[in-house]
Structures are given as structure tokens and as C-alpha cells.
Amino acid sequence: MGLLVDYLIVLALTYAAMVAVYFATGFTMIAINARHPDRRIQKHRDGMKRQAEEIRASMKALATSSVLLSSGYFAQTQGWTLFAPLELSWWSFPLMFAVCFVLFDAWFYWGHRILHWPSLYKFHVPHHRSIAPTVWSNDSSTTVDTLIEHFFYFLVWFVLPVPALSVFALRLFDQISGMVGHSGFEYFASKSSRFPSPLICTTFHDLHHSQFHYNYGNFFSFWDRICGTVHPKYDVLVRSMEETGEIPDSEETKVKATG
């Protein structure tokens, strides 16, 4: 009984932190976007009419994600994992953060691809009802969708000697960057977000929502480029934004779906 109470406290704190970050990031991005309407990617769509529905779905999805993260962490604190965590230090924190960063991006890409299979797409399609995503869209997912994409946050504790702070920092970065990536406004188009750089900007995921069959990655474009699923006009769009400072209408980027 004592262990259960201890775990429920960890779960409650995890969920409270996730919800706090969700709303803090959301309201901050809305304030920034309101001052820069010219940075909107999809000029003729506004997904904000779905924000109440997205927030409700997000509260459930964040609860699922909190269970996964807190369960893995609690298992590590009880010594139920394969390895004891590395002692937190100046090298162990960034090393394991980087390792988890790369591994999670691979996990997310393949989990996301699987969710687009016809047999599983019904669990992912609610997320894609946000054709013009907003900052609230990032976590607007079903339970199955969240379990597949975020199961990494449960599993990683059991197979790697991760300091807890490395995983919590990854989850924080993933939450904030995911919400920015769904915000529908572009601020980060540059040489660092197009080939040969593996990094991406908001337009990368916005294209996934408007055209569905491209750009499955989370932090990087690496897996999309290797597997041929990167949007064929993505790099051209980013270069155009660099050179003109203007956001092209995403309607002009439509191409025939190939995968």
C-alpha cells in the first residue's frame, strides 16, 4: 500500500508539471503569434475553432504520457530496471540526454509511420482533424496514439542507465518543441532547418498536417530523408523563407501523395 501511495504522488506531480508546461507554452505562443500574423503558414485556414476540443483531448493524452514517464521513473527508483542509473554529473547528463534524444526521434518516426497504417490510422486520425494545427494540437491524441508514440518514456528507464534528469529534460524539450512545431507559425526557417542539416522548422510538421503522407519525424528529418518520406518541396520552401522573409502559402506546396 505504501508503494502505491508513493507512486501516485509521483504520478500526480508528473501530470501537474506536464499540464503546467502545456498551458504556459500554449499561452506564450498564442501571445507571440498574435503579434506576428504574417508568420502564419497556412494563410487560408485557422484551426483555433477546434482549440476547446484539442485541449480536452490533450488532458487525457498528457495523463497517459504521465503514467508512462512516472512508471518508468518509479521502477528505476525501486531498482526494478536492468541497470542502475549513472551518477548525475557534468558528462552523464548531456551524454544520456543526447543518446535519448536520438533514440526517441527514431522511435517517434517509426511509431508515427505505423500509426499511418490503415489498420491503426483510426487511432491517429483524431490528431489529423487539425489540418491547420495550433499550439494546442500537439497532444490532441487518442490513448492508443499516445501509448505508441510515447512508450519510449516508459521503456528507456529499463534498458539504459539514464540519470532521471536526462529523461525529464528530454520530455520537457519534446513537449515545448512539439507545441511550437504545431503552432502553425514559422519563426525558425534557416540553413539549419534544411538539407544538409538534419534539423527542422515548424513548416516541416505543418506540411504533415496539411498533406498527411510526408514528414513523420519529430526532431530531425534524418529518417524521412533516408526512407523517402520528406516532402519534396520542404527544402525549397525553407530556402524561399530565408531569401524573401515571407511565408509561402502552404496551398502552393500540394503534390501528389506517394506514401
Side-chain angles (χ1 to χ4, degrees), residues 36-44 184-190 201-203 206-207 236-253:
H36 300 280
D38 56 305
R39 309 308 294 176
R40 182 186 295 278
I41 298 169
Q42 297 189 44
K43 305 298 186 185
H44 307 295
F185 288 70
E186 184 57 82
Y187 301 101
F188 303 104
S190 67
C201 57
T202 303
T203 297
D206 200 276
L207 286 169
V236 174
L237 279 171
V238 175
R239 184 182 290 275
S240 174
M241 293 177 208
E242 289 177 61
E243 295 175 350
T244 66
E246 298 179 356
I247 310 297
D249 190 336
S250 62
E251 287 294 312
E252 300 173 1
T253 71

PDB file of all heavy atoms in Angstrom, residues 36-44 184-190 201-203 206-207 236-253:
ATOM      1  N   HIS A  36       2.494  38.500 -34.648  1.00  0.00           N
ATOM      2  CA  HIS A  36       3.152  38.230 -35.927  1.00  0.00           C
ATOM      3  C   HIS A  36       2.225  37.441 -36.859  1.00  0.00           C
ATOM      4  O   HIS A  36       2.549  36.323 -37.272  1.00  0.00           O
ATOM      5  CB  HIS A  36       4.445  37.445 -35.687  1.00  0.00           C
ATOM      6  CG  HIS A  36       5.426  38.159 -34.830  1.00  0.00           C
ATOM      7  ND1 HIS A  36       6.256  39.161 -35.304  1.00  0.00           N
ATOM      8  CD2 HIS A  36       5.708  38.033 -33.500  1.00  0.00           C
ATOM      9  CE1 HIS A  36       7.017  39.615 -34.323  1.00  0.00           C
ATOM     10  NE2 HIS A  36       6.699  38.947 -33.219  1.00  0.00           N
ATOM     11  N   PRO A  37       1.077  38.003 -37.227  1.00  0.00           N
ATOM     12  CA  PRO A  37       0.146  37.276 -38.110  1.00  0.00           C
ATOM     13  C   PRO A  37       0.749  36.937 -39.458  1.00  0.00           C
ATOM     14  O   PRO A  37       0.305  35.988 -40.118  1.00  0.00           O
ATOM     15  CB  PRO A  37      -1.039  38.246 -38.244  1.00  0.00           C
ATOM     16  CG  PRO A  37      -0.465  39.593 -37.927  1.00  0.00           C
ATOM     17  CD  PRO A  37       0.581  39.346 -36.890  1.00  0.00           C
ATOM     18  N   ASP A  38       1.751  37.688 -39.882  1.00  0.00           N
ATOM     19  CA  ASP A  38       2.400  37.430 -41.164  1.00  0.00           C
ATOM     20  C   ASP A  38       3.191  36.131 -41.170  1.00  0.00           C
ATOM     21  O   ASP A  38       3.568  35.632 -42.244  1.00  0.00           O
ATOM     22  CB  ASP A  38       3.352  38.580 -41.516  1.00  0.00           C
ATOM     23  CG  ASP A  38       4.381  38.829 -40.413  1.00  0.00           C
ATOM     24  OD1 ASP A  38       3.959  39.041 -39.253  1.00  0.00           O
ATOM     25  OD2 ASP A  38       5.594  38.809 -40.700  1.00  0.00           O
ATOM     26  N   ARG A  39       3.434  35.544 -39.987  1.00  0.00           N
ATOM     27  CA  ARG A  39       4.228  34.313 -39.914  1.00  0.00           C
ATOM     28  C   ARG A  39       3.355  33.056 -40.023  1.00  0.00           C
ATOM     29  O   ARG A  39       3.866  31.947 -39.946  1.00  0.00           O
ATOM     30  CB  ARG A  39       5.026  34.251 -38.596  1.00  0.00           C
ATOM     31  CG  ARG A  39       5.851  35.472 -38.262  1.00  0.00           C
ATOM     32  CD  ARG A  39       6.755  35.892 -39.400  1.00  0.00           C
ATOM     33  NE  ARG A  39       7.788  34.907 -39.668  1.00  0.00           N
ATOM     34  CZ  ARG A  39       8.678  34.988 -40.662  1.00  0.00           C
ATOM     35  NH1 ARG A  39       8.632  36.007 -41.489  1.00  0.00           N
ATOM     36  NH2 ARG A  39       9.586  34.044 -40.833  1.00  0.00           N
ATOM     37  N   ARG A  40       2.044  33.231 -40.213  1.00  0.00           N
ATOM     38  CA  ARG A  40       1.151  32.073 -40.351  1.00  0.00           C
ATOM     39  C   ARG A  40       1.523  31.274 -41.599  1.00  0.00           C
ATOM     40  O   ARG A  40       1.722  31.833 -42.681  1.00  0.00           O
ATOM     41  CB  ARG A  40      -0.307  32.509 -40.422  1.00  0.00           C
ATOM     42  CG  ARG A  40      -1.282  31.331 -40.525  1.00  0.00           C
ATOM     43  CD  ARG A  40      -2.713  31.810 -40.749  1.00  0.00           C
ATOM     44  NE  ARG A  40      -3.208  32.565 -39.613  1.00  0.00           N
ATOM     45  CZ  ARG A  40      -3.707  32.002 -38.506  1.00  0.00           C
ATOM     46  NH1 ARG A  40      -3.760  30.679 -38.402  1.00  0.00           N
ATOM     47  NH2 ARG A  40      -4.137  32.753 -37.519  1.00  0.00           N
ATOM     48  N   ILE A  41       1.589  29.948 -41.457  1.00  0.00           N
ATOM     49  CA  ILE A  41       1.996  29.089 -42.571  1.00  0.00           C
ATOM     50  C   ILE A  41       0.833  28.826 -43.524  1.00  0.00           C
ATOM     51  O   ILE A  41       0.974  28.966 -44.738  1.00  0.00           O
ATOM     52  CB  ILE A  41       2.562  27.757 -42.029  1.00  0.00           C
ATOM     53  CG1 ILE A  41       3.824  28.021 -41.183  1.00  0.00           C
ATOM     54  CG2 ILE A  41       2.891  26.804 -43.183  1.00  0.00           C
ATOM     55  CD1 ILE A  41       4.302  26.817 -40.400  1.00  0.00           C
ATOM     56  N   GLN A  42      -0.314  28.432 -43.000  1.00  0.00           N
ATOM     57  CA  GLN A  42      -1.489  28.168 -43.831  1.00  0.00           C
ATOM     58  C   GLN A  42      -2.369  29.422 -43.826  1.00  0.00           C
ATOM     59  O   GLN A  42      -3.140  29.642 -42.885  1.00  0.00           O
ATOM     60  CB  GLN A  42      -2.251  26.945 -43.318  1.00  0.00           C
ATOM     61  CG  GLN A  42      -1.437  25.656 -43.374  1.00  0.00           C
ATOM     62  CD  GLN A  42      -2.259  24.426 -43.067  1.00  0.00           C
ATOM     63  OE1 GLN A  42      -3.385  24.273 -43.547  1.00  0.00           O
ATOM     64  NE2 GLN A  42      -1.697  23.528 -42.263  1.00  0.00           N
ATOM     65  N   LYS A  43      -2.227  30.220 -44.878  1.00  0.00           N
ATOM     66  CA  LYS A  43      -2.836  31.548 -44.911  1.00  0.00           C
ATOM     67  C   LYS A  43      -4.364  31.515 -44.865  1.00  0.00           C
ATOM     68  O   LYS A  43      -4.987  32.455 -44.367  1.00  0.00           O
ATOM     69  CB  LYS A  43      -2.398  32.284 -46.183  1.00  0.00           C
ATOM     70  CG  LYS A  43      -0.896  32.380 -46.388  1.00  0.00           C
ATOM     71  CD  LYS A  43      -0.214  33.155 -45.289  1.00  0.00           C
ATOM     72  CE  LYS A  43       1.266  33.346 -45.613  1.00  0.00           C
ATOM     73  NZ  LYS A  43       2.008  33.997 -44.515  1.00  0.00           N
ATOM     74  N   HIS A  44      -4.968  30.460 -45.398  1.00  0.00           N
ATOM     75  CA  HIS A  44      -6.422  30.440 -45.548  1.00  0.00           C
ATOM     76  C   HIS A  44      -7.122  29.525 -44.541  1.00  0.00           C
ATOM     77  O   HIS A  44      -8.301  29.227 -44.701  1.00  0.00           O
ATOM     78  CB  HIS A  44      -6.778  30.008 -46.975  1.00  0.00           C
ATOM     79  CG  HIS A  44      -6.098  30.824 -48.027  1.00  0.00           C
ATOM     80  ND1 HIS A  44      -6.348  32.170 -48.200  1.00  0.00           N
ATOM     81  CD2 HIS A  44      -5.140  30.500 -48.941  1.00  0.00           C
ATOM     82  CE1 HIS A  44      -5.598  32.638 -49.177  1.00  0.00           C
ATOM     83  NE2 HIS A  44      -4.857  31.649 -49.641  1.00  0.00           N
ATOM     84  N   GLY A 184       1.646  26.439 -36.116  1.00  0.00           N
ATOM     85  CA  GLY A 184       1.127  26.998 -37.364  1.00  0.00           C
ATOM     86  C   GLY A 184       1.782  28.291 -37.785  1.00  0.00           C
ATOM     87  O   GLY A 184       1.376  28.899 -38.787  1.00  0.00           O
ATOM     88  N   PHE A 185       2.816  28.712 -37.064  1.00  0.00           N
ATOM     89  CA  PHE A 185       3.530  29.952 -37.374  1.00  0.00           C
ATOM     90  C   PHE A 185       5.022  29.638 -37.468  1.00  0.00           C
ATOM     91  O   PHE A 185       5.563  28.904 -36.637  1.00  0.00           O
ATOM     92  CB  PHE A 185       3.286  31.010 -36.303  1.00  0.00           C
ATOM     93  CG  PHE A 185       1.903  31.598 -36.331  1.00  0.00           C
ATOM     94  CD1 PHE A 185       0.792  30.847 -35.953  1.00  0.00           C
ATOM     95  CD2 PHE A 185       1.706  32.900 -36.751  1.00  0.00           C
ATOM     96  CE1 PHE A 185      -0.486  31.385 -35.973  1.00  0.00           C
ATOM     97  CE2 PHE A 185       0.426  33.452 -36.775  1.00  0.00           C
ATOM     98  CZ  PHE A 185      -0.678  32.698 -36.384  1.00  0.00           C
ATOM     99  N   GLU A 186       5.682  30.211 -38.477  1.00  0.00           N
ATOM    100  CA  GLU A 186       7.083  29.884 -38.733  1.00  0.00           C
ATOM    101  C   GLU A 186       8.022  31.001 -38.277  1.00  0.00           C
ATOM    102  O   GLU A 186       7.898  32.147 -38.705  1.00  0.00           O
ATOM    103  CB  GLU A 186       7.307  29.631 -40.230  1.00  0.00           C
ATOM    104  CG  GLU A 186       8.711  29.182 -40.577  1.00  0.00           C
ATOM    105  CD  GLU A 186       9.108  27.922 -39.824  1.00  0.00           C
ATOM    106  OE1 GLU A 186       8.730  26.837 -40.279  1.00  0.00           O
ATOM    107  OE2 GLU A 186       9.780  28.047 -38.770  1.00  0.00           O
ATOM    108  N   TYR A 187       8.966  30.630 -37.373  1.00  0.00           N
ATOM    109  CA  TYR A 187       9.968  31.578 -36.897  1.00  0.00           C
ATOM    110  C   TYR A 187      11.394  31.060 -37.072  1.00  0.00           C
ATOM    111  O   TYR A 187      12.352  31.792 -36.828  1.00  0.00           O
ATOM    112  CB  TYR A 187       9.755  31.870 -35.399  1.00  0.00           C
ATOM    113  CG  TYR A 187       8.397  32.437 -35.062  1.00  0.00           C
ATOM    114  CD1 TYR A 187       7.395  31.625 -34.536  1.00  0.00           C
ATOM    115  CD2 TYR A 187       8.103  33.780 -35.284  1.00  0.00           C
ATOM    116  CE1 TYR A 187       6.146  32.135 -34.227  1.00  0.00           C
ATOM    117  CE2 TYR A 187       6.856  34.303 -34.974  1.00  0.00           C
ATOM    118  CZ  TYR A 187       5.873  33.465 -34.445  1.00  0.00           C
ATOM    119  OH  TYR A 187       4.636  33.979 -34.147  1.00  0.00           O
ATOM    120  N   PHE A 188      11.550  29.811 -37.471  1.00  0.00           N
ATOM    121  CA  PHE A 188      12.859  29.174 -37.395  1.00  0.00           C
ATOM    122  C   PHE A 188      13.402  28.680 -38.730  1.00  0.00           C
ATOM    123  O   PHE A 188      14.358  27.907 -38.771  1.00  0.00           O
ATOM    124  CB  PHE A 188      12.791  27.986 -36.413  1.00  0.00           C
ATOM    125  CG  PHE A 188      12.333  28.379 -35.041  1.00  0.00           C
ATOM    126  CD1 PHE A 188      11.037  28.098 -34.624  1.00  0.00           C
ATOM    127  CD2 PHE A 188      13.169  29.058 -34.175  1.00  0.00           C
ATOM    128  CE1 PHE A 188      10.594  28.471 -33.368  1.00  0.00           C
ATOM    129  CE2 PHE A 188      12.741  29.440 -32.915  1.00  0.00           C
ATOM    130  CZ  PHE A 188      11.453  29.137 -32.514  1.00  0.00           C
ATOM    131  N   ALA A 189      12.817  29.114 -39.848  1.00  0.00           N
ATOM    132  CA  ALA A 189      13.317  28.697 -41.151  1.00  0.00           C
ATOM    133  C   ALA A 189      14.702  29.304 -41.385  1.00  0.00           C
ATOM    134  O   ALA A 189      14.867  30.518 -41.354  1.00  0.00           O
ATOM    135  CB  ALA A 189      12.357  29.126 -42.248  1.00  0.00           C
ATOM    136  N   SER A 190      15.690  28.443 -41.615  1.00  0.00           N
ATOM    137  CA  SER A 190      17.064  28.896 -41.825  1.00  0.00           C
ATOM    138  C   SER A 190      17.873  27.760 -42.427  1.00  0.00           C
ATOM    139  O   SER A 190      17.353  26.656 -42.649  1.00  0.00           O
ATOM    140  CB  SER A 190      17.691  29.320 -40.486  1.00  0.00           C
ATOM    141  OG  SER A 190      17.854  28.183 -39.645  1.00  0.00           O
ATOM    142  N   CYS A 201      12.173  22.875 -39.035  1.00  0.00           N
ATOM    143  CA  CYS A 201      11.457  24.036 -38.511  1.00  0.00           C
ATOM    144  C   CYS A 201       9.965  23.712 -38.482  1.00  0.00           C
ATOM    145  O   CYS A 201       9.547  22.605 -38.836  1.00  0.00           O
ATOM    146  CB  CYS A 201      11.753  25.283 -39.350  1.00  0.00           C
ATOM    147  SG  CYS A 201      11.361  25.115 -41.103  1.00  0.00           S
ATOM    148  N   THR A 202       9.152  24.661 -38.067  1.00  0.00           N
ATOM    149  CA  THR A 202       7.724  24.412 -37.877  1.00  0.00           C
ATOM    150  C   THR A 202       7.038  23.963 -39.172  1.00  0.00           C
ATOM    151  O   THR A 202       6.139  23.125 -39.156  1.00  0.00           O
ATOM    152  CB  THR A 202       7.036  25.680 -37.341  1.00  0.00           C
ATOM    153  OG1 THR A 202       7.676  26.072 -36.125  1.00  0.00           O
ATOM    154  CG2 THR A 202       5.563  25.441 -37.075  1.00  0.00           C
ATOM    155  N   THR A 203       7.484  24.500 -40.295  1.00  0.00           N
ATOM    156  CA  THR A 203       6.893  24.143 -41.586  1.00  0.00           C
ATOM    157  C   THR A 203       6.963  22.643 -41.844  1.00  0.00           C
ATOM    158  O   THR A 203       6.063  22.077 -42.487  1.00  0.00           O
ATOM    159  CB  THR A 203       7.610  24.902 -42.721  1.00  0.00           C
ATOM    160  OG1 THR A 203       7.390  26.314 -42.533  1.00  0.00           O
ATOM    161  CG2 THR A 203       7.111  24.488 -44.094  1.00  0.00           C
ATOM    162  N   ASP A 206       4.023  21.108 -40.103  1.00  0.00           N
ATOM    163  CA  ASP A 206       2.797  21.702 -40.634  1.00  0.00           C
ATOM    164  C   ASP A 206       2.424  21.049 -41.961  1.00  0.00           C
ATOM    165  O   ASP A 206       1.246  20.802 -42.246  1.00  0.00           O
ATOM    166  CB  ASP A 206       2.975  23.210 -40.814  1.00  0.00           C
ATOM    167  CG  ASP A 206       1.640  23.935 -40.885  1.00  0.00           C
ATOM    168  OD1 ASP A 206       1.073  23.985 -41.998  1.00  0.00           O
ATOM    169  OD2 ASP A 206       1.174  24.439 -39.855  1.00  0.00           O
ATOM    170  N   LEU A 207       3.427  20.735 -42.783  1.00  0.00           N
ATOM    171  CA  LEU A 207       3.180  20.048 -44.052  1.00  0.00           C
ATOM    172  C   LEU A 207       2.607  18.655 -43.819  1.00  0.00           C
ATOM    173  O   LEU A 207       1.806  18.162 -44.614  1.00  0.00           O
ATOM    174  CB  LEU A 207       4.474  19.946 -44.862  1.00  0.00           C
ATOM    175  CG  LEU A 207       4.960  21.238 -45.530  1.00  0.00           C
ATOM    176  CD1 LEU A 207       6.376  21.056 -46.056  1.00  0.00           C
ATOM    177  CD2 LEU A 207       4.022  21.656 -46.663  1.00  0.00           C
ATOM    178  N   VAL A 236      12.938  23.593 -50.528  1.00  0.00           N
ATOM    179  CA  VAL A 236      12.704  24.768 -51.377  1.00  0.00           C
ATOM    180  C   VAL A 236      11.920  25.828 -50.611  1.00  0.00           C
ATOM    181  O   VAL A 236      12.212  27.029 -50.684  1.00  0.00           O
ATOM    182  CB  VAL A 236      11.943  24.360 -52.655  1.00  0.00           C
ATOM    183  CG1 VAL A 236      11.569  25.596 -53.473  1.00  0.00           C
ATOM    184  CG2 VAL A 236      12.779  23.401 -53.488  1.00  0.00           C
ATOM    185  N   LEU A 237      10.934  25.374 -49.837  1.00  0.00           N
ATOM    186  CA  LEU A 237      10.139  26.308 -49.029  1.00  0.00           C
ATOM    187  C   LEU A 237      11.006  27.029 -47.999  1.00  0.00           C
ATOM    188  O   LEU A 237      10.915  28.242 -47.825  1.00  0.00           O
ATOM    189  CB  LEU A 237       9.018  25.560 -48.318  1.00  0.00           C
ATOM    190  CG  LEU A 237       7.771  25.244 -49.124  1.00  0.00           C
ATOM    191  CD1 LEU A 237       6.874  24.303 -48.335  1.00  0.00           C
ATOM    192  CD2 LEU A 237       7.020  26.519 -49.464  1.00  0.00           C
ATOM    193  N   VAL A 238      11.850  26.255 -47.320  1.00  0.00           N
ATOM    194  CA  VAL A 238      12.701  26.858 -46.294  1.00  0.00           C
ATOM    195  C   VAL A 238      13.665  27.863 -46.919  1.00  0.00           C
ATOM    196  O   VAL A 238      13.859  28.964 -46.393  1.00  0.00           O
ATOM    197  CB  VAL A 238      13.470  25.767 -45.521  1.00  0.00           C
ATOM    198  CG1 VAL A 238      14.444  26.402 -44.531  1.00  0.00           C
ATOM    199  CG2 VAL A 238      12.508  24.851 -44.780  1.00  0.00           C
ATOM    200  N   ARG A 239      14.257  27.503 -48.048  1.00  0.00           N
ATOM    201  CA  ARG A 239      15.171  28.429 -48.724  1.00  0.00           C
ATOM    202  C   ARG A 239      14.433  29.706 -49.152  1.00  0.00           C
ATOM    203  O   ARG A 239      14.960  30.811 -49.014  1.00  0.00           O
ATOM    204  CB  ARG A 239      15.800  27.767 -49.947  1.00  0.00           C
ATOM    205  CG  ARG A 239      16.841  28.653 -50.637  1.00  0.00           C
ATOM    206  CD  ARG A 239      17.390  27.973 -51.879  1.00  0.00           C
ATOM    207  NE  ARG A 239      18.219  26.842 -51.554  1.00  0.00           N
ATOM    208  CZ  ARG A 239      19.518  26.939 -51.261  1.00  0.00           C
ATOM    209  NH1 ARG A 239      20.109  28.124 -51.227  1.00  0.00           N
ATOM    210  NH2 ARG A 239      20.220  25.856 -50.992  1.00  0.00           N
ATOM    211  N   SER A 240      13.203  29.556 -49.624  1.00  0.00           N
ATOM    212  CA  SER A 240      12.414  30.719 -50.022  1.00  0.00           C
ATOM    213  C   SER A 240      12.153  31.634 -48.834  1.00  0.00           C
ATOM    214  O   SER A 240      12.235  32.869 -48.945  1.00  0.00           O
ATOM    215  CB  SER A 240      11.089  30.250 -50.625  1.00  0.00           C
ATOM    216  OG  SER A 240      10.241  31.346 -50.893  1.00  0.00           O
ATOM    217  N   MET A 241      11.864  31.036 -47.687  1.00  0.00           N
ATOM    218  CA  MET A 241      11.641  31.851 -46.487  1.00  0.00           C
ATOM    219  C   MET A 241      12.906  32.597 -46.079  1.00  0.00           C
ATOM    220  O   MET A 241      12.855  33.751 -45.656  1.00  0.00           O
ATOM    221  CB  MET A 241      11.175  30.960 -45.344  1.00  0.00           C
ATOM    222  CG  MET A 241       9.803  30.349 -45.543  1.00  0.00           C
ATOM    223  SD  MET A 241       9.380  29.228 -44.172  1.00  0.00           S
ATOM    224  CE  MET A 241       8.282  28.081 -44.993  1.00  0.00           C
ATOM    225  N   GLU A 242      14.045  31.924 -46.207  1.00  0.00           N
ATOM    226  CA  GLU A 242      15.321  32.571 -45.882  1.00  0.00           C
ATOM    227  C   GLU A 242      15.560  33.782 -46.776  1.00  0.00           C
ATOM    228  O   GLU A 242      15.963  34.850 -46.309  1.00  0.00           O
ATOM    229  CB  GLU A 242      16.478  31.596 -46.103  1.00  0.00           C
ATOM    230  CG  GLU A 242      16.604  30.473 -45.128  1.00  0.00           C
ATOM    231  CD  GLU A 242      17.763  29.572 -45.541  1.00  0.00           C
ATOM    232  OE1 GLU A 242      18.904  30.079 -45.582  1.00  0.00           O
ATOM    233  OE2 GLU A 242      17.529  28.395 -45.855  1.00  0.00           O
ATOM    234  N   GLU A 243      15.334  33.605 -48.066  1.00  0.00           N
ATOM    235  CA  GLU A 243      15.703  34.624 -49.045  1.00  0.00           C
ATOM    236  C   GLU A 243      14.725  35.783 -49.106  1.00  0.00           C
ATOM    237  O   GLU A 243      15.116  36.928 -49.343  1.00  0.00           O
ATOM    238  CB  GLU A 243      15.836  33.974 -50.422  1.00  0.00           C
ATOM    239  CG  GLU A 243      16.987  32.970 -50.495  1.00  0.00           C
ATOM    240  CD  GLU A 243      17.045  32.238 -51.828  1.00  0.00           C
ATOM    241  OE1 GLU A 243      16.070  32.373 -52.617  1.00  0.00           O
ATOM    242  OE2 GLU A 243      18.037  31.526 -52.074  1.00  0.00           O
ATOM    243  N   THR A 244      13.431  35.503 -48.877  1.00  0.00           N
ATOM    244  CA  THR A 244      12.422  36.558 -49.013  1.00  0.00           C
ATOM    245  C   THR A 244      11.890  37.061 -47.682  1.00  0.00           C
ATOM    246  O   THR A 244      11.323  38.151 -47.605  1.00  0.00           O
ATOM    247  CB  THR A 244      11.227  36.041 -49.837  1.00  0.00           C
ATOM    248  OG1 THR A 244      10.555  34.998 -49.098  1.00  0.00           O
ATOM    249  CG2 THR A 244      11.694  35.482 -51.180  1.00  0.00           C
ATOM    250  N   GLY A 245      12.054  36.237 -46.639  1.00  0.00           N
ATOM    251  CA  GLY A 245      11.490  36.603 -45.347  1.00  0.00           C
ATOM    252  C   GLY A 245       9.995  36.439 -45.292  1.00  0.00           C
ATOM    253  O   GLY A 245       9.352  36.821 -44.308  1.00  0.00           O
ATOM    254  N   GLU A 246       9.399  35.866 -46.346  1.00  0.00           N
ATOM    255  CA  GLU A 246       7.961  35.677 -46.407  1.00  0.00           C
ATOM    256  C   GLU A 246       7.605  34.201 -46.270  1.00  0.00           C
ATOM    257  O   GLU A 246       8.383  33.330 -46.637  1.00  0.00           O
ATOM    258  CB  GLU A 246       7.398  36.206 -47.734  1.00  0.00           C
ATOM    259  CG  GLU A 246       7.612  37.702 -47.912  1.00  0.00           C
ATOM    260  CD  GLU A 246       7.059  38.192 -49.237  1.00  0.00           C
ATOM    261  OE1 GLU A 246       6.582  37.363 -50.033  1.00  0.00           O
ATOM    262  OE2 GLU A 246       7.111  39.411 -49.470  1.00  0.00           O
ATOM    263  N   ILE A 247       6.421  33.934 -45.742  1.00  0.00           N
ATOM    264  CA  ILE A 247       5.940  32.567 -45.580  1.00  0.00           C
ATOM    265  C   ILE A 247       5.045  32.229 -46.770  1.00  0.00           C
ATOM    266  O   ILE A 247       3.948  32.784 -46.895  1.00  0.00           O
ATOM    267  CB  ILE A 247       5.136  32.401 -44.280  1.00  0.00           C
ATOM    268  CG1 ILE A 247       5.909  32.966 -43.088  1.00  0.00           C
ATOM    269  CG2 ILE A 247       4.776  30.942 -44.067  1.00  0.00           C
ATOM    270  CD1 ILE A 247       7.204  32.280 -42.806  1.00  0.00           C
ATOM    271  N   PRO A 248       5.469  31.342 -47.680  1.00  0.00           N
ATOM    272  CA  PRO A 248       4.615  30.980 -48.806  1.00  0.00           C
ATOM    273  C   PRO A 248       3.357  30.275 -48.325  1.00  0.00           C
ATOM    274  O   PRO A 248       3.363  29.582 -47.305  1.00  0.00           O
ATOM    275  CB  PRO A 248       5.490  30.014 -49.627  1.00  0.00           C
ATOM    276  CG  PRO A 248       6.879  30.228 -49.135  1.00  0.00           C
ATOM    277  CD  PRO A 248       6.751  30.637 -47.706  1.00  0.00           C
ATOM    278  N   ASP A 249       2.268  30.456 -49.040  1.00  0.00           N
ATOM    279  CA  ASP A 249       1.020  29.772 -48.704  1.00  0.00           C
ATOM    280  C   ASP A 249       1.212  28.282 -48.924  1.00  0.00           C
ATOM    281  O   ASP A 249       1.629  27.845 -49.995  1.00  0.00           O
ATOM    282  CB  ASP A 249      -0.107  30.291 -49.601  1.00  0.00           C
ATOM    283  CG  ASP A 249      -1.480  29.811 -49.143  1.00  0.00           C
ATOM    284  OD1 ASP A 249      -1.551  28.769 -48.474  1.00  0.00           O
ATOM    285  OD2 ASP A 249      -2.465  30.488 -49.463  1.00  0.00           O
ATOM    286  N   SER A 250       0.903  27.467 -47.895  1.00  0.00           N
ATOM    287  CA  SER A 250       1.108  26.029 -47.999  1.00  0.00           C
ATOM    288  C   SER A 250       0.243  25.390 -49.070  1.00  0.00           C
ATOM    289  O   SER A 250       0.499  24.282 -49.524  1.00  0.00           O
ATOM    290  CB  SER A 250       0.816  25.341 -46.655  1.00  0.00           C
ATOM    291  OG  SER A 250      -0.532  25.529 -46.290  1.00  0.00           O
ATOM    292  N   GLU A 251      -0.834  26.083 -49.521  1.00  0.00           N
ATOM    293  CA  GLU A 251      -1.673  25.554 -50.594  1.00  0.00           C
ATOM    294  C   GLU A 251      -0.859  25.390 -51.876  1.00  0.00           C
ATOM    295  O   GLU A 251      -1.166  24.560 -52.715  1.00  0.00           O
ATOM    296  CB  GLU A 251      -2.857  26.487 -50.858  1.00  0.00           C
ATOM    297  CG  GLU A 251      -3.927  26.444 -49.772  1.00  0.00           C
ATOM    298  CD  GLU A 251      -4.628  25.108 -49.710  1.00  0.00           C
ATOM    299  OE1 GLU A 251      -5.037  24.599 -50.753  1.00  0.00           O
ATOM    300  OE2 GLU A 251      -4.745  24.562 -48.603  1.00  0.00           O
ATOM    301  N   GLU A 252       0.198  26.184 -52.001  1.00  0.00           N
ATOM    302  CA  GLU A 252       1.022  26.132 -53.206  1.00  0.00           C
ATOM    303  C   GLU A 252       1.981  24.950 -53.203  1.00  0.00           C
ATOM    304  O   GLU A 252       2.639  24.676 -54.200  1.00  0.00           O
ATOM    305  CB  GLU A 252       1.819  27.437 -53.334  1.00  0.00           C
ATOM    306  CG  GLU A 252       0.938  28.677 -53.427  1.00  0.00           C
ATOM    307  CD  GLU A 252       1.751  29.955 -53.372  1.00  0.00           C
ATOM    308  OE1 GLU A 252       3.001  29.859 -53.284  1.00  0.00           O
ATOM    309  OE2 GLU A 252       1.155  31.043 -53.420  1.00  0.00           O
ATOM    310  N   THR A 253       2.065  24.241 -52.088  1.00  0.00           N
ATOM    311  CA  THR A 253       3.025  23.146 -51.978  1.00  0.00           C
ATOM    312  C   THR A 253       2.403  21.791 -52.230  1.00  0.00           C
ATOM    313  O   THR A 253       3.087  20.767 -52.106  1.00  0.00           O
ATOM    314  CB  THR A 253       3.651  23.125 -50.566  1.00  0.00           C
ATOM    315  OG1 THR A 253       2.667  22.695 -49.623  1.00  0.00           O
ATOM    316  CG2 THR A 253       4.176  24.494 -50.197  1.00  0.00           C
TER     317      THR A 253
END
